[in-house]
Amino acid sequence: MQFVMTLTHLKIFVPLLAVTVASSVLLNATTGPQQPASQDTPVFRTGVTLVTTDVIVRDGQGQFLPDLNLEDFVVYEDGEAQEIASLVLVHGGRVYNQLLPPAPVMEGIVLPSSGQQDTDTPGRIFVLFIDDLHLSITDTPKVRRVLELLADTIIHDGDMFGIMSSGKSSIFVQMTRDREQLYDVIPRVVGEGLRVANVVGNFTQDVMRQENLARATAAFKSAEQTVRNLEEITNRRKVFLYVSTGYDFDPFEEAQALAEVRAMEATGFFSDPVFGGETIDFPELNDPQLRDFGDRGAFDHNQFSDASLNYELLRLTTAANRSNVSFYTIDPRGLGSMPDLDFAQLRVSDWNDYLRTQHSGLRLLAELTGGMAVVNRNTFEEAFQEIDAETSDYYILGFYSNNTDATDTVRELSVEVNRPDTEVRARTHYVIAGQ
């Protein structure tokens, strides 16, 4: 019942946050320094949407290059060069519109010139997503310390941010610049992730495995709804700080297999084969005892767990790339995390496989959206300083694709800079609107 209530609560406040994220930022845009009308409205040309991507360019010493212009960039879609229609520089949090896309022709309206402009409008927009459904209660003190460091290092005065949690911490902060609200919610964070003993010790109870899947799905859907509503915000770097330990839809395979053997032994299927016992009372396939054992779920492994996880990750990265949102995934457990001490039966190889699967998903989220994964490391301060730098200095390039094939939905992106000895970071693909 507790988990059902959690999902119900998510269904109530996630849509509200998504609407608030978009409406709060758009309201700020109308009350702050004015931008040309085309900047706040999606622009279409011959039925094709403007595609935008964040680009970070550093020199050989790792310093951001703020003096690039239109002629310095080349954008490729599926290996074919595209004509750049817009170029926005954000440097030190200030926005410089170097080239805006042509405004749609509107009869009776004379549009102002769209020359280069400086503006005090904040260029940093953050969503802090705390996936407490997958944070262990024993790691709660460590999670709070990591969040305090994140608040000190990444989010500064003038930044806009919203906060939400996936579980019973019930954290929901509308888009704001009040950093005190960030510090106020940190003591409320409490992990409620499943313990190893819950997953393995209750393996033959199908409800526990279904809850593991349901928790992950709930977190993904919450994040995806918020990301989709950020699509309305343009010419700003939208950063999703995703605090989670990651996902594994079918964890601890060796321990689960051993639990199966124990459960099968209890049914009289055979004696303990681990210690060399002889097979006894081998039942017929239609034996009610065997059928009852199968109904309890011991034979009901999710053989497509990896495919299911990849599908959920693909949905989320697709929504992020369509909205030009970059994921920065953070595993607060740090380096060398260990399983619960109260479950000694878990083998080290099982635990390491579990961590690898979790971290693989977090890395995938970050890499496919142009962000960074902070996993399996204790140097959080250094990583957070890098995130702060990446979200303060960047370019936003826009182009109209010359590929008119609507069936070609997923398209590769690459950006080159006509400067020697430079490092370029940008998203690697996007999905055309409406898909």
Side-chain angles (χ1 to χ4, degrees):
M1 178 62 68
Q2 176 180 334
F3 181 63
V4 173
M5 291 177 63
T6 301
L7 284 178
T8 303
H9 185 63
L10 282 171
K11 291 178 181 178
I12 294 174
F13 74 76
V14 169
L16 178 59
L17 174 65
V19 172
T20 303
V21 168
S23 61
S24 298
V25 176
L26 294 177
L27 177 61
N28 172 72
T30 60
T31 56
Q34 296 298 307
Q35 300 295 322
S38 60
Q39 183 171 320
D40 294 324
T41 305
V43 179
F44 299 87
R45 176 181 294 173
T46 64
V48 180
T49 307
L50 181 73
V51 179
T52 60
T53 182
D54 301 340
V55 182
I56 301 171
V57 185
R58 293 193 175 98
D59 62 18
Q61 286 71 46
Q63 299 298 313
F64 178 74
L65 297 178
D67 60 340
L68 302 178
N69 53 45
L70 182 64
E71 290 73 24
D72 293 316
F73 290 97
V74 182
V75 180
Y76 295 93
E77 179 190 274
D78 291 334
E80 185 173 348
Q82 305 291 314
E83 180 181 355
I84 298 176
S86 67
L87 175 60
V88 174
L89 165 67
V90 177
H91 186 39
R94 290 175 60 86
V95 182
Y96 303 88
N97 296 320
Q98 297 187 342
L99 173 65
L100 291 179
V105 177
M106 302 178 66
E107 185 177 355
I109 296 179
V110 178
L111 299 177
S113 173
S114 57
Q116 179 172 325
Q117 300 181 8
D118 290 359
T119 176
D120 293 326
T121 302
R124 308 207 323 170
I125 298 171
F126 296 95
V127 174
L128 175 57
F129 185 87
I130 304 170
D131 185 16
D132 50 353
L133 282 173
H134 295 87
L135 299 174
S136 171
I137 189 171
T138 58
D139 288 333
T140 296
K142 182 183 294 185
V143 172
R144 292 176 178 175
R145 290 195 298 270
V146 171
L147 289 174
E148 288 175 355
L149 180 61
L150 182 151
D152 293 339
T153 310
I154 298 178
I155 300 178
H156 305 299
D157 291 335
D159 292 337
M160 293 196 70
F161 63 91
I163 313 172
M164 68 179 299
S165 64
S166 63
K168 68 180 181 182
S169 296
S170 300
I171 296 172
F172 168 51
V173 176
Q174 299 181 7
M175 294 300 291
T176 180
R177 293 187 182 89
D178 184 2
R179 296 176 67 244
E180 289 302 319
Q181 295 194 45
L182 175 56
Y183 291 101
D184 288 344
V185 303
I186 292 177
R188 292 166 46 193
V189 175
V190 178
E192 59 169 320
L194 297 177
R195 302 173 68 87
V196 176
N198 296 138
V199 177
V200 178
N202 296 281
F203 176 75
T204 57
Q205 299 179 11
D206 187 61
V207 64
M208 190 56 64
R209 285 181 286 120
Q210 291 299 322
E211 180 165 332
N212 181 50
L213 175 63
R215 284 169 175 247
T217 303
F220 283 133
K221 287 185 176 180
S222 301
E224 183 181 346
Q225 279 187 289
T226 305
V227 165
R228 289 186 182 279
N229 282 273
L230 289 171
E231 187 175 0
E232 300 299 323
I233 306 168
T234 59
N235 288 343
R236 296 293 182 272
R237 184 166 174 79
K238 293 161 283 188
V239 176
F240 213 94
L241 300 171
Y242 198 93
V243 181
S244 176
T245 57
Y247 309 96
D248 187 345
F249 281 9
D250 189 17
F252 313 123
E253 294 180 5
E254 290 184 17
Q256 287 179 353
L258 184 59
E260 282 188 7
V261 170
R262 300 299 185 189
M264 293 171 72
E265 179 193 9
T267 68
F269 191 85
F270 45 51
S271 63
D272 190 351
V274 176
F275 298 98
E278 296 294 331
T279 301
I280 59 174
D281 298 331
F282 197 97
E284 299 294 332
L285 291 178
N286 61 352
D287 189 293
Q289 197 174 30
L290 181 60
R291 185 170 60 250
D292 178 65
F293 178 69
D295 290 342
R296 291 204 307 274
F299 289 139
D300 190 26
H301 274 303
N302 181 8
Q303 298 181 10
F304 302 101
S305 58
D306 289 342
S308 299
L309 177 56
N310 290 335
Y311 173 75
E312 294 293 343
L313 290 171
L314 177 61
R315 282 182 57 92
L316 187 52
T317 56
T318 297
N321 282 312
R322 183 163 49 237
S323 301
N324 198 25
V325 174
S326 296
F327 270 71
Y328 288 80
T329 53
I330 302 165
D331 180 356
R333 292 174 297 186
L335 182 65
S337 59
M338 297 297 294
D340 303 331
L341 296 178
D342 60 350
F343 196 81
Q345 297 95 322
L346 189 67
R347 300 176 182 178
V348 174
S349 59
D350 234 5
W351 178 254
N352 290 336
D353 289 342
Y354 176 62
L355 290 181
R356 266 193 299 271
T357 301
Q358 289 183 314
H359 290 166
S360 177
L362 294 178
R363 288 191 175 98
L364 188 68
L365 270 177
E367 291 172 2
L368 293 183
T369 59
M372 182 177 73
V374 183
V375 299
N376 202 29
R377 59 191 295 179
N378 286 328
T379 56
F380 288 103
E381 185 173 7
E382 179 182 339
F384 289 170
Q385 288 172 350
E386 186 175 348
I387 294 175
D388 181 46
E390 288 193 1
T391 55
S392 298
D393 302 310
Y394 57 93
Y395 295 88
I396 301 178
L397 300 181
F399 66 92
Y400 295 98
S401 173
N402 55 22
N403 183 356
T404 59
D405 183 3
T407 63
D408 186 7
T409 57
V410 181
R411 304 177 181 184
E412 293 184 359
L413 279 180
S414 62
V415 179
E416 295 182 358
V417 174
N418 297 325
R419 293 281 185 93
D421 192 24
T422 57
E423 176 190 358
V424 181
R425 283 190 56 188
R427 67 184 64 250
T428 58
H429 74 284
Y430 78 98
V431 179
I432 64 174
Q435 301 302 316

